[in-house]
């Protein structure tokens, strides 16, 4: 039985990856940080099948203890301050978690479990002000947010540890991926949740920022398989994971409201509060290397993703006695 350590197991991707690895027969260890409230809602159905251990990307000794105790075969570093907008309000904290945290974990692996294979959750935000269309592994980076800058550090330190110490360290450059488990602050889930709230008569507006931004949106459940496949390769490398399609926020809005038979123009209001100091206007990735080396292709198309999220939120809101706070 192989052992995998997942940081960020309480997040969207961590929950799907844990499910996937359990299905492959892995012993799954999840790193969780201390919190005053329960943050395991996304993995509540898995709690009997995984082991949670305390630790924090800000704390070197906690990481070394976990790596020494469990000596995992594979380490998936999914933990991060992952919301781009917050990175302008908390740039130093974002750097500590999302950038230097990667070095802390790599050091813990190098010193305490040097045979472990390492996956770093890199991001299409590193392409930022894109220098080529579509973006591939060799496209030059131009991050546009403190988050993007921090992820770029995490990417390069992963490459550096691979080259310096011959570690099996891989950087997965994942484009936006969504699901019904997406945090409510991200634009896709904000839209699907508000569509459901409007449909059920619990609110009558959705305030958004830039509707013209374009993203390459896939389904998180498809993308965690790519993470696993990367660590099964004999030779570590970097991989773009994307759908090779781009859609605007406006298109997402149109499809989501249509799914619930609502006219979006009656409810969507523009609000400057949600505009960013520097925007990423267009992302579209070409996952040709992943297809060739990993045999990976996305399974869920854009419309199916939107429908899946709206349908899930319609059910959620129908069953909710007390509505969630709006982001
Ligand atoms: P998410 O839902 O925001 O989850 C983030 C996870 O990181 C949570 O489990 C969180 O724990 C944990 N975390 C944050 N700070 C930590 C710390 N100091 N120590 C330990 N754990 C900490 O993010 P996601 O969408 O699943 O994304 C997973 C990873 O992929 C992230 O690194 C993200 O930046 C990256 N990524 C995501 C996308 C995407 O489109 N989803 C695309 C490219 C890259 P709590 O529950 O305690 O807050
Ligand atoms: O959903 P978003 O907040 O995601 P963003 O900034 O693309 O970041 C996500 O994807 C990255 C991969 O490229 C990950 F690395 C990162 O961790 C995260 O998962 O915003 C998408 C777009 C932006 O252009 C934003 O300006 O939607 C636009 N937008 C328009 N109105 C909005 C809103 N975004 C949010 N969150 N809220 C709005 O009201």
């Amino acid at each position: 039985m192989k052992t995998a350590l997942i940081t960020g197991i309480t997040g969207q991707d961590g929950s799907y990856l844990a499910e996937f690895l359990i299905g492959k027969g892995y012993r799954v260890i999840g790193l969780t940080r201390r919190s005053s409230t329960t943050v395991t809602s996304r993995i509540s159905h898995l709690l009997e099948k995984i082991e949670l251990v305390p630790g924090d990307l800000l704390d070197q000794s906690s990481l070394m203890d976990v790596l020494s105790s469990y000596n995992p075969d594979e380490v998936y570093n999914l933990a991060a301050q992952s919301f781009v907008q917050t990175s302008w309000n908390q740039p130093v904290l974002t750097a500590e978690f999302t950038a230097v945290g990667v070095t802390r974990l790599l050091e813990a692996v190098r010193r305490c479990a040097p045979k472990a294979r390492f996956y770093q959750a890199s991001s299409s935000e590193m392409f930022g002000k894109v220098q080529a269309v579509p973006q591939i592994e060799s496209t030059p980076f131009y991050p546009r947010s403190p988050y993007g800058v921090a992820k770029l550090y995490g990417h390069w330190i992963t490459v550096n540890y691979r080259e310096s110490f011959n570690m099996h360290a891989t950087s997965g450059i994942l484009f936006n991926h969504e699901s019904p488990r997406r945090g409510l602050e991200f634009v896709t889930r904000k839209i699907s949740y508000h569509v459901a709230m409007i449909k059920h008569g619990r609110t009558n507006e959705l305030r958004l920022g830039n509707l013209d931004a374009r993203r390459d949106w896939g389904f998180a459940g498809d993308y965690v398989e790519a993470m696993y496949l990367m660590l099964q390769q004999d030779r570590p490398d970097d991989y773009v994971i994307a759908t090779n399609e781009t859609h605007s926020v406006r298109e997402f809005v149109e499809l989501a409201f249509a799914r619930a038979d609502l006219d979006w123009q009656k409810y969507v209001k523009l609000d400057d509060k949600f505009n960013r100091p520097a925007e990423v206007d267009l992302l579209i990735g070409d996952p040709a290397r992943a297809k060739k080396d990993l045999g990976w292709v996305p399974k869920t198309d854009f419309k199916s993703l939107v429908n899946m999220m709206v349908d899930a939120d319609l059910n959620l809101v129908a069953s909710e006695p007390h509505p969630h706070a709006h982001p």
Side-chain angles (χ1 to χ4, degrees):
M1 185 191 247
K2 278 192 184 173
T3 300
L5 172 69
I6 303 176
T7 74
I9 195 163
T10 54
Q12 171 189 255
D13 290 8
S15 68
Y16 283 106
L17 181 63
E19 267 170 23
F20 180 85
L21 293 177
I22 289 165
K24 290 272 173 202
Y26 276 65
R27 178 187 186 195
V28 174
I29 314 296
L31 186 88
T32 54
R33 55 179 171 164
R34 197 264 159 188
S35 165
S36 68
T37 54
T38 309
V39 293
T40 49
S41 58
R42 292 185 178 105
I43 50 170
S44 53
H45 59 300
L46 301 175
L47 289 175
E48 304 282 295
K49 298 180 185 153
I50 59 178
E51 293 160 69
L52 298 181
V53 289
D56 198 302
L57 284 188
L58 299 184
D59 188 89
Q60 185 73 57
S61 61
S62 68
L63 301 176
M64 294 180 82
D65 284 349
V66 172
L67 268 297
S68 303
S69 303
Y70 292 94
N71 193 23
D73 301 285
E74 297 171 10
V75 175
Y76 295 87
N77 183 32
L78 309 186
Q81 191 301 95
S82 73
F83 189 40
V84 172
Q85 184 91 51
T86 291
S87 75
W88 277 284
N89 306 115
Q90 300 177 12
V92 176
L93 186 76
T94 300
E96 286 289 352
F97 282 11
T98 306
V100 187
V102 186
T103 311
R104 290 192 193 95
L105 189 57
L106 280 164
E107 269 300 292
V109 172
R110 182 169 85 85
R111 289 165 190 271
C112 307
K115 292 206 164 47
R117 296 183 172 194
F118 181 85
Y119 172 85
Q120 167 57 16
S122 289
S123 165
S124 49
E125 267 286 309
M126 303 188 306
F127 295 121
K129 188 171 177 181
V130 297
Q131 304 295 294
V133 178
Q135 294 86 55
I136 60 173
E137 291 80 1
S138 57
T139 301
F141 298 118
Y142 193 140
R144 293 272 280 172
S145 62
Y147 169 84
V149 174
K151 279 288 176 190
L152 195 49
Y153 174 97
H155 170 77
W156 281 118
I157 201 70
T158 301
V159 173
N160 180 261
Y161 270 54
R162 177 166 80 216
E163 294 176 354
S164 301
F165 304 116
N166 204 23
M167 285 170 65
H168 195 295
T170 283
S171 169
I173 307 174
L174 271 54
F175 283 61
N176 298 51
H177 44 281
E178 320 293 314
S179 74
R181 298 183 200 166
R182 189 57 144 151
L184 286 162
E185 67 275 37
F186 297 93
V187 77
T188 55
R189 184 76 199 289
K190 182 174 172 182
I191 296 166
S192 64
Y193 186 70
H194 277 77
V195 164
M197 293 286 281
I198 291 167
K199 187 73 183 174
H200 287 289
R202 305 234 186 130
T203 187
N204 58 10
E205 68 170 22
L206 165 59
R207 304 189 81 83
L208 291 172
N210 179 11
L211 299 186
D212 296 320
R214 301 185 74 85
R215 291 289 181 278
D216 179 329
W217 277 297
F219 171 49
D222 294 347
Y223 284 35
V224 296
E225 183 180 11
M227 299 175 188
Y228 160 80
L229 289 170
M230 285 179 219
L231 294 202
Q232 310 315 307
Q233 303 307 297
D234 292 337
R235 199 177 59 83
D237 205 340
D238 306 321
Y239 291 96
V240 159
I241 300 298
T243 69
N244 208 0
E245 266 187 41
T246 189
H247 297 276
S248 65
V249 173
R250 182 179 285 99
E251 285 172 74
F252 197 106
V253 165
E254 286 167 359
L255 283 181
F257 278 79
R259 180 68 173 177
D261 295 319
L262 295 169
D263 174 4
W264 71 274
Q265 312 230 32
K266 284 191 191 156
Y267 303 101
V268 173
K269 307 272 183 307
L270 296 184
D271 188 336
D272 282 349
K273 187 168 81 180
F274 298 108
N275 289 335
R276 295 174 178 186
E279 178 63 288
V280 172
D281 297 316
L282 164 71
L283 290 175
I284 177 167
D286 180 354
R289 181 187 286 178
K291 185 175 181 190
K292 178 170 158 286
D293 291 3
L294 312 177
W296 181 88
V297 286
K299 298 186 182 104
T300 311
D301 67 19
F302 180 64
K303 191 171 182 188
S304 307
L305 175 67
V306 177
N307 290 349
M308 179 204 306
M309 292 179 70
V310 172
D311 292 353
D313 276 328
L314 285 168
N315 286 332
L316 177 73
V317 172
S319 67
E320 258 181 357
H322 303 293
H324 284 136
H326 298 183

